[in-house]
Amino acid sequence: MKILQAQGLGKTYRRGGQVVEAVRQVDLAIAPGEILAFLGPNGAGKTTTIKMIAGLIRPDRGTVAIADQNPHRDPHALRQLGAVLEGNRNLYWRLTPLENLEYFGVLRGLSRTEARRSGRELLERFELSHKRDAAVQNLSRGMQQKVAIAVALVHHPKLLLLDEPTLGLDVEATQTVKGLVQEIAASGCAILLTTHQLDIAEALSDRVAIIRAGAVIAEQPTQELVRQFSGASYQIELEGNLEELLEAGVRSRLESQGIVMQGNRLFVRGAEALYEVLELLRPAPIFQVKKDAADLTEVFLKLVQES
Amino acid sequence: MKFPLLELFLAELRRTWIQFIRYPSEAIVGIFIIVITFYFLFAGASYIAGPDAGLSGASGSERLEVLVVGYIISILVISVLSTTSNSLEQEASTGTLEQIFLSPFRSLTVFIMRAFASLSLRLVIVGISLTAILLITGTQLRFPLALVMPLGTLLMSAYGMAFAVAGLVLVVKRVSQVLGAVQFGLFLLLGSPVETMEGWGRAIAFCAPMVPSAGLLRDLMARELPLNWGLYGIALANALFYLGLGFLLFARSERIAKQRGLLSGY
Ligand SMILES: Nc1ncnc2c1ncn2[C@@H]1O[C@H](COP(=O)(O)OP(=O)(O)OP(=O)(O)O)[C@@H](O)[C@H]1O
Ligand SMILES: [Mg+2]
C-alpha cells in the first residue's frame, strides 16, 4: 500500500516569453511510515513537485494520488495531507500556538473540540506546552518551526510534506526537528522531505530520490545507494589541477571510460578501472588514492555532476 | 461534527477578533483618521461654501447629513477592500495563504466565511467612527430597521469587488497602488449624491457598483424618506451582479494562480 503515488509529473512555467521546464519527469511513491528524502540542487524542481502533490500547482502532465484520491479533483484528498512549505512559517504571528492549532484544525475539517484536543496533545508531544499562550511572533525560530509542524499534523494526516524543514535553524533546533520527524514517521505517517543538508537526509531517510533539472535520476533505499557507491569506488587526488597536469588526449580517454573528473580529483569505479587509470595518469604526481567510504553527500555530488 | 461551515465561521470569527483585541492600536488609529479626515473635509466644505451657504442652516443641515452618510459608506466600502487586499498580501508573504488552499473546504467557501467574520469587525469600527462624527458635528441621523436592506445590498456589491481584488492579489501580488486610485474613485462615487442626477447620469449611476444602495441609504438615513421598493429592486440586481462577478473573477484567478504557480511566493 502506498500513501502517495505521483506518476509522470511535468510542469513548464511560461512567463514573459521565458519558458522554464521546471519538472520534466517525476515519479514518486511513499508507503506509510516511510521517509523519502527528495534531494536536488537549487532550481531542480523540488518545490514545484511538492506543490503539485499538494494541489497548489496544477501539473501539465501526470497524476497525483494521496491515499488513492486525486487532490486536484477531490478536495477530500487534502484531509490526508499536511504540509510545511518552504520560506516563512505558515503561522499567524499574532496568535498563540494553541490558537493556531485550533484554527488550522477547523480549517482542515475538525470541530473546535477535536482541534483543541489534538492541538494540546501535539504541544505536549513537541514539548511546547509551556509556550502554549505566547504569541507565535515571540517564539524562537526553532519553536516556530515546531509549531508549524504541529499545525501540519493537527488533523492526523497520512502524508506529511516538509520543504526544507531545517532551513535557518541552529544546531540544537535542527536536532530537535530531526527527532520529531523520526517520531512522526514511527507513528505511521509517510513523509516527503526536501533538504540541502545531506547529513540530515542520510540520517533520516529510508529512501532517497535525487532530482536534477526536473527529472528524477536516482531513487533507491538510502543505505543501498550509499553502499553501491562506496563499494568499489576510488578517489584519486593529484597534486595539481587535472587540466594542467594531463594532456588533452589523456583527459578525453579518461572521459570516454566514464571517469568523473573534478578539479584535482578523479572518481573511479571498480578496482580494475583503478589500475588502468593509474597507468594512464603516469607520470602525473599523485597526492593520494583512497577508497570512497562514500556518504550521501558524495553520492549526491557525483550523481548530480555526472552528465 | 455536524456543522462544518458553522465551525469554520466561528473559527474565523475568533481569529479575527483575537488579532484585533490583542493589537487594537491599528484599529484605534484607523478610527481617529476616519473622524479627523471627516472633520477637515467638513470644515473645508463650509469654508469653501462660505458661511452664507450655511451647512448649518435648515437645508444646510440636511446637506451635512447627506454628506455624513456618503462619507461613512465610502469608508466602509474602502475599508472592506483594503483589508481584503492587505491581509491577503500579508498572508501570501507569511505562507498562511497556501495553507488555506490545503483545506478540504473550497477556497471560495473559506473566503466567504472570512468575509463575514471580518465584516463584524468592520461594522464595529465604522459604527464607532460614525458615532464620533455625529457627536462632534452635532448631526442626527435616522436608523430605521429598513436600513439593513440597502446596507445588505451595499455590502454584497462591496464584497463582490473585494473578491475581484482578492483574485487580483493572487495573480498580480502587489495591488496596493492600483487600489489607491480605485479607492479615490469610489470615494467620489459613493460620497456624492449621484442618485439625484437626471437622465443618463442616473442610468449610469444605477449600473455603477454600490451606487444605488448608497442612494437608498442616504434617502433612509438623511432625507427621512421611506424605502423605495423600485429602487431597491435595482439595488438588489446591481448587488447580485457585482457579487457574482466577484466570485467568478476570484475562481478564475485561483485557476490561473495554480496554473502559473503563483499561490504565495514567486
Ligand atoms: N511560479 C514560477 N514561475 C516561473 N518559474 C518558476 C516558478 N516557480 C519556480 N520556477 C522556476 O522553476 C525552476 C524549479 O524551481 P523550484 O522552486 O521547484 O526548485 P527547487 O528544487 O525547489 O529549488 P531550491 O532548492 O532552490 O528550493 C527554477 O528554475 C525556478 O526558477
Ligand atoms: Mg525549493
Side-chain angles (χ1 to χ4, degrees):
Chain A
M1 230 290 270
K2 298 287 184 189
I3 291 298
L4 171 69
Q5 262 177 320
Q7 267 162 0
L9 287 179
K11 180 78 200 175
T12 304
Y13 293 115
R14 291 186 179 79
R15 54 158 40 198
Q18 269 189 333
V19 177
V20 182
E21 256 198 295
V23 174
R24 287 184 291 138
Q25 173 61 39
V26 170
D27 301 292
L28 292 173
I30 314 181
E34 193 178 32
I35 303 179
L36 175 70
F38 190 38
L39 311 175
N42 290 126
K46 302 179 296 294
T47 299
T48 302
T49 303
I50 286 203
K51 289 189 178 177
M52 287 195 284
I53 291 171
L56 296 172
I57 291 180
R58 186 163 297 276
D60 296 336
R61 294 181 302 282
T63 57
V64 179
I66 300 170
D68 293 325
Q69 291 170 311
N70 180 347
H72 293 276
R73 285 217 204 94
D74 184 0
H76 289 293
L78 296 171
R79 277 289 274 122
Q80 311 301 342
L81 175 81
V84 180
L85 297 163
E86 123 188 286
N88 256 305
R89 296 282 96 107
N90 309 304
L91 299 168
Y92 288 104
W93 292 81
R94 295 175 168 190
L95 300 187
T96 66
L98 190 59
E99 286 160 356
N100 268 290
L101 284 157
E102 203 183 295
Y103 172 75
F104 283 109
V106 174
L107 192 65
R108 301 279 178 278
L110 303 183
S111 71
R112 184 189 187 191
T113 337
E114 290 165 337
R116 252 188 125 81
R117 189 181 326 119
S118 171
R120 284 229 167 82
E121 275 166 23
L122 282 162
L123 290 178
E124 190 82 28
R125 210 170 119 196
F126 287 18
E127 290 169 1
L128 282 168
S129 294
H130 61 297
K131 293 286 181 187
R132 207 170 62 190
D133 299 319
V136 164
Q137 63 184 350
N138 299 328
L139 301 182
S140 72
R141 212 165 150 73
M143 285 186 191
Q144 288 168 355
Q145 185 65 339
K146 284 208 281 183
V147 178
I149 296 175
V151 160
L153 292 172
V154 67
H155 56 303
H156 306 295
K158 292 184 183 150
L159 173 65
L160 179 63
L161 306 175
L162 298 173
D163 202 356
E164 306 198 26
T166 52
L167 186 72
L169 299 189
D170 65 19
V171 181
E172 204 187 329
T174 301
Q175 289 306 321
T176 319
V177 168
K178 249 169 88 174
L180 282 180
V181 169
Q182 267 162 334
E183 199 191 305
I184 296 161
S187 73
C189 187
I191 298 179
L192 175 61
L193 158 106
T194 79
T195 176
H196 290 294
Q197 288 157 285
L198 297 172
D199 53 327
I200 294 178
E202 184 168 4
L204 281 181
S205 64
D206 303 302
R207 277 189 307 132
V208 217
I210 295 178
I211 181 173
R212 190 188 59 194
V216 172
I217 51 172
E219 207 227 299
Q220 270 182 43
T222 314
Q223 292 316 317
E224 227 169 81
L225 186 70
V226 172
R227 206 177 315 125
Q228 181 186 327
F229 271 77
S230 42
S233 167
Y234 300 88
Q235 216 186 92
I236 306 171
E237 196 174 333
L238 301 187
E239 283 186 351
N241 209 301
L242 294 173
E243 306 262 319
E244 289 155 21
L245 291 174
L246 304 178
E247 284 165 26
V250 175
R251 272 185 279 135
S252 67
R253 269 195 71 184
L254 287 167
E255 215 158 273
S256 69
Q257 291 191 18
I259 309 299
V260 177
M261 291 176 279
Q262 195 197 340
N264 57 349
R265 277 183 235 193
L266 300 96
F267 298 96
V268 186
R269 274 185 220 156
E272 271 314 298
L274 177 66
Y275 290 111
E276 281 172 33
V277 170
L278 286 174
E279 200 54 46
L280 277 173
L281 288 180
R282 192 202 304 262
I286 291 176
F287 177 68
Q288 61 173 348
V289 177
K290 66 175 182 189
K291 187 164 175 191
D292 251 354
D295 62 7
L296 189 56
T297 308
E298 288 171 55
V299 176
F300 175 80
L301 285 176
K302 279 180 212 165
L303 278 171
V304 164
Q305 283 157 2
E306 260 171 29
S307 52
Chain B
M1 180 194 50
K2 282 172 231 139
F3 306 106
L5 279 185
L6 182 65
E7 294 273 6
L8 181 60
F9 170 66
L10 292 176
E12 291 294 354
L13 207 59
R14 278 193 297 275
R15 190 180 64 82
T16 308
W17 281 91
I18 290 172
Q19 302 198 58
F20 163 67
I21 289 168
R22 210 159 283 162
Y23 302 84
S25 51
E26 287 160 29
I28 291 169
V29 169
I31 291 174
F32 259 102
I33 292 175
I34 294 173
V35 175
I36 301 273
T37 308
F38 181 80
Y39 187 77
F40 280 108
L41 278 179
F42 167 55
S46 29
Y47 177 74
I48 292 166
D52 298 336
L55 276 169
S56 47
S59 66
S61 104
E62 184 189 278
R63 230 179 298 159
L64 177 60
E65 282 150 12
V66 169
L67 204 70
V68 171
V69 175
Y71 178 76
I72 214 71
I73 290 173
S74 355
I75 290 297
L76 179 60
V77 169
I78 287 171
S79 84
V80 163
L81 290 183
S82 64
T83 42
T84 305
S85 76
N86 289 344
S87 67
L88 226 56
E89 275 176 32
Q90 195 191 332
E91 296 213 7
S93 75
T94 55
T96 43
L97 185 63
E98 281 172 317
Q99 295 290 330
I100 293 172
F101 290 90
L102 290 178
S103 160
F105 291 105
R106 287 174 50 197
S107 56
L108 191 61
T109 311
V110 178
F111 283 108
I112 290 173
M113 291 305 146
R114 289 194 155 194
F116 279 121
S118 92
L119 177 61
S120 66
L121 180 58
R122 292 296 115 220
L123 287 177
V124 168
I125 290 175
V126 169
I128 294 174
S129 312
L130 178 59
T131 312
I133 289 175
L134 294 181
L135 288 177
I136 290 172
T137 60
T139 327
Q140 286 193 338
L141 293 178
R142 291 196 318 143
F143 295 93
L145 203 58
L147 169 73
V148 293
M149 300 183 66
L151 184 62
T153 50
L154 178 86
L155 290 170
M156 276 161 73
S157 5
Y159 273 100
M161 293 197 66
F163 273 91
V165 168
L168 206 62
V169 177
L170 291 188
V171 176
V172 191
K173 306 294 154 200
R174 292 184 201 291
V175 300
S176 306
Q177 283 98 337
V178 189
L179 202 62
V182 173
Q183 283 170 353
F184 186 68
L186 283 176
F187 192 77
L188 292 181
L189 197 65
L190 299 174
S192 47
V194 272
E195 67 273 12
T196 55
M197 293 198 308
E198 298 295 332
W200 277 106
R202 193 172 164 83
I204 291 169
F206 285 159
C207 297
M210 297 168 285
V211 172
S213 310
L216 283 172
L217 284 172
R218 272 188 284 260
D219 284 350
L220 285 177
M221 297 171 74
R223 300 191 187 109
E224 310 204 351
L225 295 171
L227 184 64
N228 177 331
W229 288 97
L231 268 183
Y232 182 69
I234 294 175
L236 187 61
N238 177 295
L240 288 173
F241 174 76
Y242 283 102
L243 188 62
L245 188 67
F247 285 169
L248 208 73
L249 289 175
F250 179 80
R252 234 318 211 317
S253 310
E254 180 183 345
R255 217 167 325 127
I256 294 175
K258 283 184 174 171
Q259 188 61 43
R260 301 194 192 154
L262 298 175
L263 287 181
S264 109
Y266 218 82

